[in-house]
């Protein structure tokens, strides 16, 4: 694995311990009393230690890992722990594919995918300008021409309708502040035969050492995707700790 480009942007100052704290540890249960928002899609409760107190389809939304936790995304042990190359292989990408890496962070997957879509491109989408600045610096240093940064918002990814072949979200969806609005917008951005892929730590397994709010069960993911009109296609369990769930548009 080539970490040459990390030296300038991802020194120890990016604080691996901050990212580690965000993703590992325990989780407190929020009180049973609820206040229903005017939207009725979401409910607001007192937040747990690792959540924002906003509930969607029975699930508390997790706190976002900020740009100071970028070192966690680039940790050397990630290759061993998560097998990212196995995930990329499972995507079955075509050279002409347009891939949206939603919640791209430091571009960990964006740059690994870019060489597999030489006639296509990767749209690295994030809501944090600081993350996009890191991606842009790496893109220029590595002279990668088919990775483009896109500043999204908490409700839309800012992608054109019918423009992408695949939307990839790796350990990101559980942090979406407005998951229904985001997924509706992502579904609109798909080409007719486009796919959505969610990679989430397995919530069914209590032995996976990730905070509960940063894991999701397959049942929960499938329910939330069905709510926005996405059909489950398959689940691949080839990774050590994460589900790979594939969805498509309903016919």
């Amino acid at each position: 694995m080539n970490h040459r480009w990390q030296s300038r942007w991802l020194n120890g100052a990016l604080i691996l311990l901050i990212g580690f704290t965000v993703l590992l540890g325990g989780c407190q249960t929020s009180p049973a009393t609820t206040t229903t928002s005017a939207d009725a899609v979401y409910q607001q409760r007192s937040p747990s230690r690792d959540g924002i107190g906003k509930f969607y389809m029975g699930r508390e939304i997790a706190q976002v890992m900020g740009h100071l936790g970028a070192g966690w995304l680039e940790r050397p042990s990630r290759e061993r722990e998560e097998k990212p190359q196995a995930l990329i292989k499972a995507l079955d990408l075509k050279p002409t594919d347009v891939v949206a890496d939603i919640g791209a962070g430091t571009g960990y997957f964006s740059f690994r995918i870019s060489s597999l879509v030489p006639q296509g491109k990767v749209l690295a989408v994030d809501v944090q300008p600081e993350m996009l600045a890191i991606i842009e610096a790496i893109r220029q240093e590595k002279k990668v021409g088919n990775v483009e940064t896109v500043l999204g918002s908490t409700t839309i990814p800012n992608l054109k309708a019918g423009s992408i072949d695949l939307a990839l979200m790796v350990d990101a969806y559980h942090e979406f502040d407005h998951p229904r609005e985001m997924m509706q917008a992502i579904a609109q951005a798909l080409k007719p035969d486009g796919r959505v892929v969610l990679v989430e730590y397995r919530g069914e397994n209590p032995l996976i050492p990730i905070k509960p709010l940063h894991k999701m069960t397959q049942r929960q993911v499938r329910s939330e995707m069905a709510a926005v009109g996405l059909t489950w296609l398959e689940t691949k369990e080839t990774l050590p700790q994460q589900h790979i769930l594939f969805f498509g548009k309903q016919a």
Side-chain angles (χ1 to χ4, degrees):
M1 179 180 174
N2 184 2
H3 295 287
R4 174 175 59 84
W5 47 265
Q6 293 181 31
S7 59
R8 190 185 310 168
W9 294 98
L10 299 174
N11 276 338
L14 287 177
I15 314 173
L16 178 61
L17 289 177
I18 293 179
F20 197 86
T21 300
V22 171
L23 288 181
L24 296 182
C27 178
Q28 296 178 347
T29 304
S30 59
T33 58
T34 65
T35 302
T36 304
S37 68
D39 192 355
V41 172
Y42 304 106
Q43 292 78 43
Q44 193 68 41
R45 308 179 189 176
S46 298
S48 66
R49 187 178 67 186
D50 305 310
I52 65 173
K54 185 176 181 180
F55 284 71
Y56 175 59
M57 297 185 70
R59 172 182 65 88
E60 186 179 8
I61 296 169
Q63 294 174 3
V64 173
M65 184 178 71
H67 65 279
L68 292 178
W72 165 262
L73 301 177
E74 297 292 340
R75 66 196 186 280
S77 62
R78 190 170 184 178
E79 290 281 353
R80 182 186 72 254
E81 295 166 354
E82 297 184 3
K83 305 296 183 186
Q85 292 302 325
L87 165 57
I88 292 171
K89 183 178 179 181
L91 299 179
D92 296 322
L93 295 170
K94 303 184 188 68
T96 56
D97 279 345
V98 177
V99 179
D101 182 8
I102 312 290
T106 58
Y108 186 90
F109 281 98
S110 297
F111 291 107
R112 286 164 172 78
I113 290 171
S114 63
S115 63
L116 302 178
V117 292
Q119 286 86 53
K121 60 183 174 180
V122 180
L123 302 172
V125 182
D126 208 282
V127 299
Q128 300 182 72
E130 298 89 349
M131 290 294 198
L132 297 182
I134 292 173
I135 294 174
E136 183 59 26
I138 295 168
R139 189 193 69 78
Q140 293 183 20
E141 183 177 343
K142 295 173 73 72
K143 296 180 172 60
V144 178
N146 65 340
V147 171
E148 300 176 10
T149 56
V150 179
L151 180 62
S153 74
T154 58
T155 56
I156 59 171
N158 283 331
L159 300 172
K160 294 180 181 179
S163 64
I164 62 174
D165 297 286
L166 185 140
L168 175 66
M169 284 152 278
V170 180
D171 302 327
Y173 174 74
H174 62 268
E175 296 179 353
F176 286 0
D177 187 80
H178 291 76
R180 179 163 295 191
E181 293 85 347
M182 276 292 290
M183 292 312 305
Q184 287 172 334
I186 289 170
Q188 290 175 357
L190 289 178
K191 295 178 181 179
D193 59 347
R195 298 173 297 156
V196 168
V197 179
L198 274 76
V199 181
E200 292 284 350
Y201 282 97
R202 298 185 187 110
E204 299 89 343
N205 187 347
L207 298 180
I208 293 174
I210 298 294
K211 291 181 178 182
L213 293 189
H214 291 270
K215 299 192 285 187
M216 290 191 71
T217 65
Q218 183 176 181
R219 179 178 181 180
Q220 185 73 26
V221 174
R222 290 177 61 171
S223 295
E224 294 187 22
M225 295 305 105
V228 297
L230 291 171
T231 301
W232 175 76
L233 301 175
E234 63 175 321
T235 300
K236 295 183 180 181
E237 302 289 13
T238 54
L239 302 183
Q241 302 181 86
Q242 297 150 297
H243 296 298
I244 312 174
L245 297 111
F246 292 78
F247 299 87
K249 285 187 173 183
Q250 291 180 355

